[in-house]
């Protein structure tokens, strides 16, 4: 968990902090011989069966392959008052990766495919028989980590990703989907890290398409960001300061004719966003003091601005607001802690 000014290295609106949800316990693991890890199980509350197998195959001292397969199938959820219809699901994942270990660097190239089908139970207020959702996601990643000696920086990290995602929403028993959404995302991020300073930059391109009864216009998003973190010790106080500047350009198809939005509102929107964070830490004897102040923000996305269509998963109809502007949040947090032999007191 990362909190405070350091969280701005991961996004402009991370006032609550950042949690690493990676399933890789040790992404830098290096195997000298073939290795396999597996987990299998079952659940009685939905008659599910699941399994995950991860296999590592070293090719040479410097190269290794990784293959991971996951499958899960579950029936309808069983509750104390009976079976909840149309809650079954199936999930399949496949990942293949190649990793090269250099003298002072590690390069990793991987491909991942995820498919998922699941149901939403019906209700008198929504679709009586429920809704079926199908999702498919293909991801390509390239990560490069290098140890360097340059102007106080010690490591260089490059992260490149391409994601192709699509999902459809259908009424139970219907052959034709009511809603379809697809998007392609390309991102490239570079970070230089040192013991007292981190700086980085991000470029991201997103291409969104909608179909069925979802009238949101095809739209492109371009995001540029630069960010940094500085740490300094002054008179036994540790100070952290971070800032992040983001530029977002949203480019809808102006030839599109929406159902509930005015055509004149489909215009290019550009946003400039500045976030900053400051933290002070001090330890002495049995006491610890920390104080942080954060100014964060969020630019409206395609969905916030131009949504126009049903969302069957929540039985709602979503209409965007093309005139939305930036959101900003100010957060201040202070913590005083006292440690004794058999007790701990913390006031936040």
């Amino acid at each position: 968990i990362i909190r405070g000014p350091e969280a701005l290295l991961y996004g402009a609106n991370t006032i609550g902090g950042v949690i690493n949800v990676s399933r890789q316990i040790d992404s830098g693991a290096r195997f000298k011989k073939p290795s396999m890890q597996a987990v299998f199980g079952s659940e009685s509350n939905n008659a599910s069966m699941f399994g995950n197998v991860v296999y590592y195959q070293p090719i040479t001292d410097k190269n290794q392959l990784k293959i991971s397969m996951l499958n899960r199938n579950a029936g309808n959820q069983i509750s104390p008052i009976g079976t909840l219809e149309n809650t079954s699901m199936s999930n399949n994942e496949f990942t293949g990766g190649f990793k090269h270990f250099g003298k002072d660097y590690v390069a990793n190239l991987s491909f991942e495919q995820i498919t998922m089908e699941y149901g939403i139970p019906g209700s008198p207020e929504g679709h009586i028989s429920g809704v079926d959702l199908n999702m498919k996601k293909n991801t390509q990643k390239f990560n490069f980590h290098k140890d360097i000696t340059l102007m106080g920086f010690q490591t260089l990290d490059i992260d490149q990703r391409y994601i192709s995602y699509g999902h459809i929403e259908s009424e139970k028993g219907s052959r034709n989907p009511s809603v379809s959404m697809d998007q392609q995302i390309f991102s490239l991020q570079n970070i230089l890290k040192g013991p007292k300073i981190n700086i980085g930059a991000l470029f991201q391109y997103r291409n969104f398409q909608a179909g069925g009864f979802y009238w949101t216009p095809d739209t492109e998003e371009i995001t540029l960001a630069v960010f940094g973190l500085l740490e300094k010790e002054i008179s036994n106080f540790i100070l952290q300061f971070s800032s992040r500047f983001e530029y977002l350009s949203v480019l809808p198809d102006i030839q599109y004719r929406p159902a509930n939005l005015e055509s004149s509102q489909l215009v290019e929107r550009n946003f400039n966003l500045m976030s900053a964070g400051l933290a002070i830490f001090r330890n002495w004897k049995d006491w610890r003091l920390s104080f942080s102040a954060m100014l964060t923000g969020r630019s409206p996305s395609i969905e916030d601005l131009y949504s126009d269509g049903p969302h069957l998963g929540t039985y709602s109809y979503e209409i965007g607001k093309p005139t939305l502007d930036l959101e900003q949040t100010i957060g201040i947090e202070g913590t005083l802690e006292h440690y004794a032999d058999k007790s701990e007191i913390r006031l936040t």
Side-chain angles (χ1 to χ4, degrees):
I1 299 176
I2 296 173
R3 304 191 65 213
E6 190 178 352
L8 292 182
L9 298 178
Y10 302 90
N13 194 40
T14 53
I15 192 167
V18 179
I19 299 175
N20 185 355
V21 295
S22 173
R23 289 182 297 182
Q24 299 185 48
I25 297 176
D26 183 4
S27 59
R30 189 170 181 174
F31 294 88
K32 296 182 179 180
K33 60 182 180 179
S35 176
M36 184 175 70
Q37 303 164 351
V39 59
F40 300 93
S42 167
E43 293 176 322
S44 61
N45 62 331
N46 54 11
S48 71
M49 300 288 291
F50 60 87
N52 182 206
V53 178
V54 182
Y55 177 74
Y56 296 92
Q57 174 63 57
I59 302 174
T60 64
D61 291 341
K62 296 183 178 181
N63 302 298
Q64 72 181 25
L65 293 175
K66 173 189 174 182
I67 297 176
S68 173
M69 292 178 288
L70 179 147
N71 177 261
R72 182 188 179 202
N73 290 282
N76 289 328
Q77 184 74 32
I78 301 172
S79 75
I81 59 173
T83 301
L84 194 58
E85 299 295 334
N86 203 47
T87 54
S88 61
M89 64 89 68
S90 67
N91 179 27
N92 293 280
E93 299 182 21
F94 174 82
T95 303
F98 172 80
K99 183 173 290 187
H100 175 73
F101 297 90
K103 182 178 179 180
D104 58 359
Y105 68 91
V106 177
N108 185 31
L109 177 66
S110 65
F111 299 89
E112 179 183 63
Q113 183 179 78
I114 300 174
T115 59
M116 182 181 294
E117 299 179 2
Y118 60 101
I120 303 292
S123 74
E125 295 81 15
H127 302 284
I128 302 300
S129 300
V131 174
D132 290 332
L133 293 94
N134 296 271
M135 182 269 284
K136 185 174 183 179
K137 178 182 177 184
N138 295 319
T139 305
Q140 172 267 316
K141 298 179 183 179
F142 174 73
N143 305 106
F144 180 81
H145 174 87
K146 181 176 174 60
D147 297 328
I148 61 173
T149 304
L150 176 66
M151 299 173 62
F153 295 107
Q154 295 179 342
T155 61
L156 166 66
D157 288 284
I158 300 175
D159 184 285
Q160 176 269 317
R161 303 186 182 197
Y162 175 76
I163 300 172
S164 177
Y165 171 88
H167 88 249
I168 60 175
E169 304 174 1
S170 308
E171 296 182 49
K172 186 68 176 179
S174 175
R175 295 183 177 181
N176 300 315
S178 301
V179 173
S180 67
M181 284 183 277
D182 297 278
Q183 65 178 359
Q184 300 80 44
I185 300 175
F186 173 86
S187 66
L188 178 62
Q189 178 171 275
N190 304 319
I191 301 180
L192 287 166
K193 295 182 179 180
K196 299 296 183 180
I197 184 172
N198 296 345
I199 60 172
L202 167 72
F203 167 80
Q204 179 173 291
Y205 170 78
R206 179 187 179 199
N207 190 15
F208 174 88
Q209 310 95 38
F213 297 104
Y214 199 66
W215 313 114
T216 303
D218 294 349
T219 308
E220 297 176 308
E221 272 187 358
I222 298 175
T223 302
L224 300 173
V226 291
F227 47 87
L229 171 72
L230 177 64
E231 182 176 305
K232 191 173 182 64
E233 185 173 350
I234 301 177
S235 301
N236 296 321
F237 285 89
I238 297 176
L239 278 68
Q240 280 188 349
F241 174 76
S242 68
S243 63
R244 184 182 184 99
F245 174 77
E246 281 194 0
Y247 168 80
L248 172 67
S249 181
V250 185
L251 307 165
D253 180 2
I254 60 176
Q255 304 298 325
Y256 189 79
R257 295 296 178 262
N260 293 284
L261 300 175
E262 298 293 335
S263 298
S264 59
Q265 295 179 313
L266 301 185
V267 297
E268 177 181 341
R269 297 293 309 276
N270 297 297
F271 304 94
N272 295 303
L273 176 62
M274 175 67 77
S275 298
L278 173 68
I280 301 173
F281 306 95
R282 174 74 157 87
N283 295 336
W284 69 99
K285 293 184 179 179
D286 300 328
W287 294 87
R288 178 183 298 170
L289 172 69
S290 64
F291 174 83
S292 64
M294 300 281 287
L295 171 64
T296 66
R298 175 179 177 270
S299 303
S301 66
I302 295 170
E303 293 81 3
D304 299 321
L305 297 169
Y306 304 123
S307 283
D308 190 357
H311 184 185
L312 274 62
T314 58
Y315 296 136
S316 63
Y317 195 101
E318 300 175 351
I319 300 178
K321 187 176 181 180
T323 58
L324 281 176
D325 208 341
L326 297 171
E327 298 178 8
Q328 284 196 323
T329 303
I330 298 175
I332 297 175
E333 180 176 317
T335 299
L336 180 64
E337 301 173 76
H338 176 69
Y339 297 90
D341 292 337
K342 297 182 180 180
S343 65
E344 175 184 340
I345 300 174
R346 177 183 299 177
L347 177 64
T348 300

